[in-house]
Coordinates of all heavy atoms in Angstrom, one line a residue:
R1421 N -0.6 21.8 -42.0 CA 0.8 21.7 -42.3 C 1.0 20.3 -42.8 O 1.8 20.2 -43.8 CB 1.6 21.9 -41.0 CG 1.6 23.3 -40.4 CD 2.7 23.4 -39.3 NE 2.6 24.7 -38.7 CZ 2.0 25.0 -37.6 NH1 1.3 24.1 -37.0 NH2 2.0 26.3 -37.1
A1422 N 0.4 19.3 -42.2 CA 0.6 17.9 -42.7 C 0.1 17.7 -44.1 O 0.6 16.9 -44.9 CB -0.1 17.0 -41.8
S1423 N -0.9 18.5 -44.6 CA -1.5 18.3 -45.9 C -0.7 19.0 -46.9 O -1.0 18.9 -48.1 CB -2.9 18.8 -45.9 OG -3.0 20.2 -45.8
N1424 N 0.4 19.7 -46.6 CA 1.2 20.4 -47.6 C 0.5 21.5 -48.3 O 0.8 21.7 -49.5 CB 1.9 19.4 -48.5 CG 3.1 20.0 -49.2 OD1 3.8 20.8 -48.8 ND2 3.2 19.6 -50.5
V1425 N -0.5 22.1 -47.7 CA -1.1 23.3 -48.3 C -0.2 24.4 -48.3 O 0.4 24.7 -47.3 CB -2.5 23.6 -47.6 CG1 -3.2 24.8 -48.2 CG2 -3.4 22.4 -47.6
T1426 N -0.1 25.2 -49.5 CA 0.9 26.3 -49.5 C 0.3 27.5 -48.8 O -0.9 27.6 -48.7 CB 1.2 26.6 -51.0 OG1 0.0 27.0 -51.6 CG2 1.8 25.4 -51.7
A1427 N 1.1 28.4 -48.5 CA 0.8 29.6 -47.8 C -0.2 30.5 -48.6 O -1.2 30.9 -48.0 CB 2.0 30.4 -47.4
P1428 N -0.1 30.7 -49.9 CA -1.1 31.4 -50.6 C -2.5 30.8 -50.5 O -3.5 31.4 -50.4 CB -0.6 31.6 -52.0 CG 0.9 31.4 -51.9 CD 1.0 30.4 -50.8
D1429 N -2.5 29.4 -50.6 CA -3.8 28.7 -50.5 C -4.4 29.0 -49.2 O -5.6 29.2 -49.1 CB -3.6 27.2 -50.7 CG -3.0 26.9 -52.1 OD1 -3.4 27.6 -53.0 OD2 -2.3 25.9 -52.1
L1430 N -3.6 28.9 -48.1 CA -4.1 29.2 -46.7 C -4.6 30.7 -46.6 O -5.6 30.9 -46.0 CB -3.0 29.0 -45.7 CG -2.6 27.5 -45.5 CD1 -1.4 27.4 -44.6 CD2 -3.8 26.7 -45.0
A1431 N -3.9 31.6 -47.3 CA -4.3 33.0 -47.2 C -5.7 33.2 -47.8 O -6.6 33.8 -47.2 CB -3.4 33.9 -47.9
L1432 N -6.0 32.4 -48.9 CA -7.3 32.5 -49.5 C -8.3 31.8 -48.7 O -9.5 32.2 -48.6 CB -7.2 32.0 -51.0 CG -6.3 32.8 -51.9 CD1 -6.3 32.2 -53.3 CD2 -6.7 34.3 -52.0
E1433 N -7.9 30.7 -48.1 CA -8.9 29.9 -47.3 C -9.3 30.7 -46.1 O -10.5 30.5 -45.5 CB -8.2 28.6 -46.8 CG -8.2 27.6 -48.0 CD -7.5 26.3 -47.5 OE1 -7.4 26.1 -46.3 OE2 -7.2 25.4 -48.3
M1434 N -8.4 31.6 -45.6 CA -8.8 32.4 -44.4 C -9.9 33.5 -44.7 O -10.5 34.0 -43.8 CB -7.5 33.1 -43.8 CG -6.5 32.1 -43.4 SD -7.1 31.0 -42.0 CE -5.7 29.9 -41.9
E1435 N -10.0 33.8 -46.0 CA -11.0 34.7 -46.4 C -12.3 34.1 -46.7 O -12.5 33.4 -47.7 CB -10.5 35.5 -47.6 CG -9.3 36.3 -47.5 CD -8.7 36.9 -48.7 OE1 -9.5 36.8 -49.8 OE2 -7.6 37.3 -48.7
N1436 N -13.3 34.2 -45.7 CA -14.5 33.4 -45.9 C -15.6 34.4 -46.2 O -16.8 33.9 -46.5 CB -14.8 32.7 -44.6 CG -13.8 31.6 -44.4 OD1 -13.5 30.8 -45.3 ND2 -13.3 31.5 -43.1
T1437 N -15.4 35.7 -46.2 CA -16.5 36.6 -46.4 C -16.2 37.5 -47.6 O -15.1 37.7 -48.0 CB -16.8 37.5 -45.2 OG1 -15.7 38.4 -45.0 CG2 -17.0 36.6 -43.9
W1438 N -17.3 38.1 -48.1 CA -17.1 39.0 -49.2 C -16.3 40.2 -48.7 O -15.4 40.7 -49.4 CB -18.5 39.5 -49.6 CG -18.6 40.6 -50.6 CD1 -18.9 41.9 -50.4 CD2 -18.5 40.4 -52.1 NE1 -19.0 42.6 -51.6 CE2 -18.7 41.7 -52.6 CE3 -18.2 39.3 -52.9 CZ2 -18.6 41.9 -54.0 CZ3 -18.1 39.5 -54.3 CH2 -18.3 40.8 -54.8
K1439 N -16.6 40.7 -47.6 CA -15.9 41.9 -47.0 C -14.3 41.6 -46.9 O -13.5 42.5 -47.3 CB -16.4 42.2 -45.6 CG -15.7 43.5 -45.0 CD -16.3 43.8 -43.7 CE -15.6 45.0 -43.0 NZ -16.2 45.3 -41.7
E1440 N -14.0 40.4 -46.4 CA -12.6 40.0 -46.3 C -11.9 40.1 -47.7 O -10.8 40.5 -47.8 CB -12.4 38.7 -45.6 CG -12.7 38.8 -44.1 CD -12.8 37.4 -43.6 OE1 -13.0 36.4 -44.3 OE2 -12.7 37.3 -42.3
R1441 N -12.5 39.5 -48.7 CA -12.0 39.5 -50.0 C -11.8 40.9 -50.6 O -10.8 41.1 -51.3 CB -12.8 38.5 -50.9 CG -12.7 37.1 -50.5 CD -13.5 36.1 -51.3 NE -13.3 34.8 -50.8 CZ -14.2 33.9 -50.5 NH1 -15.5 34.3 -50.5 NH2 -13.9 32.7 -50.1
L1442 N -12.7 41.7 -50.3 CA -12.5 43.1 -50.8 C -11.4 43.8 -50.1 O -10.7 44.5 -50.7 CB -13.9 43.9 -50.6 CG -15.1 43.4 -51.4 CD1 -16.3 44.4 -51.2 CD2 -14.8 43.4 -52.9
E1443 N -11.3 43.6 -48.8 CA -10.3 44.3 -48.0 C -8.9 43.9 -48.4 O -8.0 44.7 -48.4 CB -10.6 44.0 -46.5 CG -11.7 44.8 -45.9 CD -12.0 44.4 -44.5 OE1 -11.4 43.4 -44.0 OE2 -12.8 45.1 -43.8
T1444 N -8.7 42.6 -48.7 CA -7.3 42.2 -49.1 C -7.0 42.4 -50.6 O -5.9 42.4 -51.0 CB -7.2 40.7 -48.8 OG1 -8.2 40.0 -49.7 CG2 -7.4 40.3 -47.4
G1445 N -8.1 42.8 -51.4 CA -7.8 43.0 -52.8 C -7.9 41.7 -53.6 O -7.7 41.8 -54.8
S1446 N -8.3 40.6 -53.0 CA -8.5 39.4 -53.8 C -9.5 39.7 -54.9 O -9.4 39.2 -56.0 CB -9.0 38.2 -53.0 OG -8.0 37.9 -52.0
I1447 N -10.6 40.5 -54.5 CA -11.6 40.9 -55.5 C -11.7 42.4 -55.5 O -11.6 43.1 -54.4 CB -13.0 40.3 -55.1 CG1 -12.9 38.8 -55.2 CG2 -14.1 40.9 -55.9 CD1 -14.2 38.1 -54.7
I1448 N -11.9 43.0 -56.6 CA -12.2 44.4 -56.8 C -13.6 44.4 -57.3 O -13.9 43.9 -58.4 CB -11.3 45.1 -57.7 CG1 -9.9 45.2 -57.1 CG2 -11.8 46.5 -58.1 CD1 -8.9 45.9 -58.1
A1449 N -14.6 45.0 -56.5 CA -16.0 44.9 -56.9 C -16.7 46.1 -56.2 O -16.3 46.6 -55.2 CB -16.6 43.6 -56.4
G1450 N -17.8 46.5 -56.9 CA -18.6 47.5 -56.3 C -19.2 48.4 -57.4 O -19.3 48.0 -58.5
S1451 N -19.5 49.6 -57.1 CA -20.0 50.6 -58.0 C -18.9 50.9 -59.0 O -17.7 50.6 -58.7 CB -20.5 51.8 -57.3 OG -19.3 52.5 -56.8
P1452 N -19.2 51.5 -60.1 CA -18.2 51.9 -61.1 C -17.2 52.8 -60.4 O -16.0 52.7 -60.7 CB -19.0 52.7 -62.2 CG -20.3 52.0 -62.2 CD -20.6 51.7 -60.7
A1453 N -17.6 53.7 -59.6 CA -16.6 54.6 -58.9 C -15.7 53.9 -58.0 O -14.5 54.1 -58.0 CB -17.4 55.7 -58.1
T1454 N -16.2 53.0 -57.2 CA -15.3 52.1 -56.3 C -14.4 51.3 -57.2 O -13.2 51.2 -56.9 CB -16.2 51.2 -55.5 OG1 -17.1 52.0 -54.6 CG2 -15.4 50.2 -54.7
V1455 N -14.8 50.7 -58.2 CA -14.0 49.8 -59.0 C -12.9 50.7 -59.7 O -11.7 50.3 -59.8 CB -14.8 49.0 -60.1 CG1 -13.9 48.3 -61.0 CG2 -15.7 48.0 -59.3
R1456 N -13.3 51.8 -60.2 CA -12.3 52.8 -60.8 C -11.1 53.1 -59.8 O -10.0 53.0 -60.1 CB -12.9 54.0 -61.3 CG -13.8 53.9 -62.5 CD -14.0 55.3 -63.1 NE -14.8 56.2 -62.2 CZ -16.1 56.4 -62.3 NH1 -16.8 55.6 -63.1 NH2 -16.7 57.2 -61.5
E1457 N -11.5 53.4 -58.6 CA -10.6 53.8 -57.6 C -9.6 52.7 -57.2 O -8.4 52.8 -57.1 CB -11.3 54.2 -56.3 CG -10.4 54.6 -55.2 CD -11.1 55.0 -53.9 OE1 -12.4 55.2 -54.0 OE2 -10.5 55.0 -52.8
R1458 N -10.1 51.4 -57.1 CA -9.3 50.3 -56.7 C -8.4 49.8 -57.8 O -7.3 49.5 -57.7 CB -10.2 49.1 -56.3 CG -11.0 49.4 -55.0 CD -10.2 49.4 -53.8 NE -11.1 49.6 -52.6 CZ -11.5 50.7 -52.1 NH1 -11.1 51.9 -52.7 NH2 -12.2 50.8 -51.0
L1459 N -9.0 49.9 -59.0 CA -8.2 49.5 -60.2 C -7.1 50.5 -60.5 O -6.0 50.1 -60.9 CB -9.1 49.4 -61.5 CG -9.7 48.0 -61.7 CD1 -10.5 48.0 -63.0 CD2 -8.8 46.9 -61.7
E1460 N -7.3 51.7 -60.2 CA -6.2 52.7 -60.4 C -5.1 52.4 -59.5 O -3.9 52.5 -59.8 CB -6.7 54.1 -60.2 CG -5.7 55.2 -60.6 CD -6.4 56.5 -60.8 OE1 -7.5 56.8 -60.2 OE2 -5.8 57.4 -61.5
E1461 N -5.4 52.1 -58.2 CA -4.4 51.6 -57.3 C -3.6 50.4 -57.8 O -2.4 50.3 -57.7 CB -5.0 51.4 -55.9 CG -4.0 50.9 -54.8 CD -4.8 50.5 -53.5 OE1 -6.0 50.8 -53.4 OE2 -4.0 49.9 -52.7
C1462 N -4.4 49.4 -58.3 CA -3.8 48.2 -58.8 C -2.8 48.5 -59.9 O -1.7 48.0 -59.9 CB -4.9 47.3 -59.2 SG -4.4 45.9 -60.3
I1463 N -3.3 49.3 -60.9 CA -2.5 49.5 -62.1 C -1.2 50.3 -61.8 O -0.1 50.0 -62.2 CB -3.3 50.3 -63.1 CG1 -4.5 49.4 -63.7 CG2 -2.5 50.9 -64.2 CD1 -5.6 50.2 -64.3
E1464 N -1.4 51.3 -60.9 CA -0.2 52.1 -60.6 C 0.8 51.4 -59.7 O 2.0 51.5 -59.8 CB -0.7 53.5 -60.0 CG -1.4 54.4 -60.9 CD -1.8 55.7 -60.4 OE1 -1.7 55.8 -59.1 OE2 -2.3 56.6 -61.1
S1465 N 0.3 50.7 -58.7 CA 1.1 50.0 -57.7 C 2.0 48.9 -58.4 O 3.1 48.6 -58.0 CB 0.4 49.5 -56.6 OG -0.5 48.5 -57.0
L1466 N 1.4 48.3 -59.4 CA 2.1 47.2 -60.1 C 2.8 47.7 -61.4 O 3.6 46.9 -61.9 CB 1.1 46.1 -60.5 CG 0.3 45.4 -59.4 CD1 -0.6 44.3 -59.9 CD2 1.4 44.8 -58.4
N1467 N 2.5 48.9 -61.8 CA 3.0 49.4 -63.1 C 2.7 48.4 -64.3 O 3.5 48.0 -65.0 CB 4.5 49.6 -63.0 CG 5.1 50.4 -64.2 OD1 4.4 51.3 -64.7 ND2 6.2 50.0 -64.7

């Protein structure tokens, strides 16, 4: 709090593992089938 780090910065700092970054959607990665599925969700949810 004292260092004035913003909340999104903290959110990313809390993700220390590959699994956490995949679960939150910070990263979309994997096999082509996995990436297709996640990207379709990304594209449609954001329009």
Side-chain angles (χ1 to χ4, degrees):
R1421 291 192 186 96
S1423 70
N1424 195 31
V1425 177
T1426 63
D1429 296 331
L1430 289 173
L1432 297 179
E1433 285 180 13
M1434 297 302 173
E1435 297 173 9
N1436 294 315
T1437 68
W1438 176 256
K1439 181 180 178 182
E1440 288 170 340
R1441 291 181 176 124
L1442 295 183
E1443 287 176 346
T1444 61
S1446 294
I1447 292 173
I1448 292 176
S1451 69
T1454 296
V1455 172
R1456 287 197 298 266
E1457 179 184 345
R1458 297 290 184 271
L1459 272 185
E1460 189 162 23
E1461 180 187 349
C1462 165
I1463 291 163
E1464 291 183 350
S1465 63
L1466 299 178
N1467 191 40

